[in-house]
Amino acid sequence: MKLSEVDILILPGLYGSKDGHWQVRWADKIRSAALVEQADWSDPDPEDWIDTIVKAVELAERPVVLVAHSLGCIALAKAAAQLTDGKVKGAFLVAPPDVYRDNAPEAVKDFAPVPRDPLPFPSLLVASSTDGYCALETAADLAGAWGSEFHDAGEAGHINIESGHGPWPEGLLMFTRLMQRI
């Protein structure tokens, strides 16, 4: 599938994606991409985030590919059951957080329980062995539950600006491979 044939909806995580974050850069560079804006980035309401994702997909005029980072991955997994009409063609999931870890912020814990049903579309989950928000084994377990292809990005932190991932060209290559697969 070509980028020009789909609407790419980008789903940031807790606090949104700041200027320079790879998600913002992709939204700026890819003509068919747009950031999905949530009402409250700092104190998210899970149901509100889910509804926003569902509405964004419904409003898209073409098939959709979702690109989620961090808490956006969990919100997408929770919204997936409502996205079963075949409009979503795939998802690129990056650095999902472990909402069950002891030191997780309350805003993240509010997204529990995390669905463990397979996603109704192809997906690729990318995680890091040095992500302070989720152990690599936990991310691999989520990928297995969701039926996602899994990629270990090595020592890449939370795959955000703080871990040195502004443009993240390796991520764009992985995303391109997902697009070729779907």
Side-chain angles (χ1 to χ4, degrees), residues 109-164:
K109 288 181 180 183
D110 288 345
F111 281 74
V114 175
R116 298 199 46 88
D117 298 323
L119 298 175
F121 37 77
S123 58
L124 169 62
L125 190 150
V126 180
S128 160
S129 62
T130 55
D131 188 341
Y133 301 105
C134 186
L136 187 64
E137 296 78 19
T138 302
D141 179 62
L142 284 175
W146 294 341
S148 301
E149 181 182 339
F150 181 72
H151 178 82
D152 176 353
E155 297 180 359
H158 194 51
I159 311 177
N160 58 7
I161 293 174
E162 289 76 15
S163 63

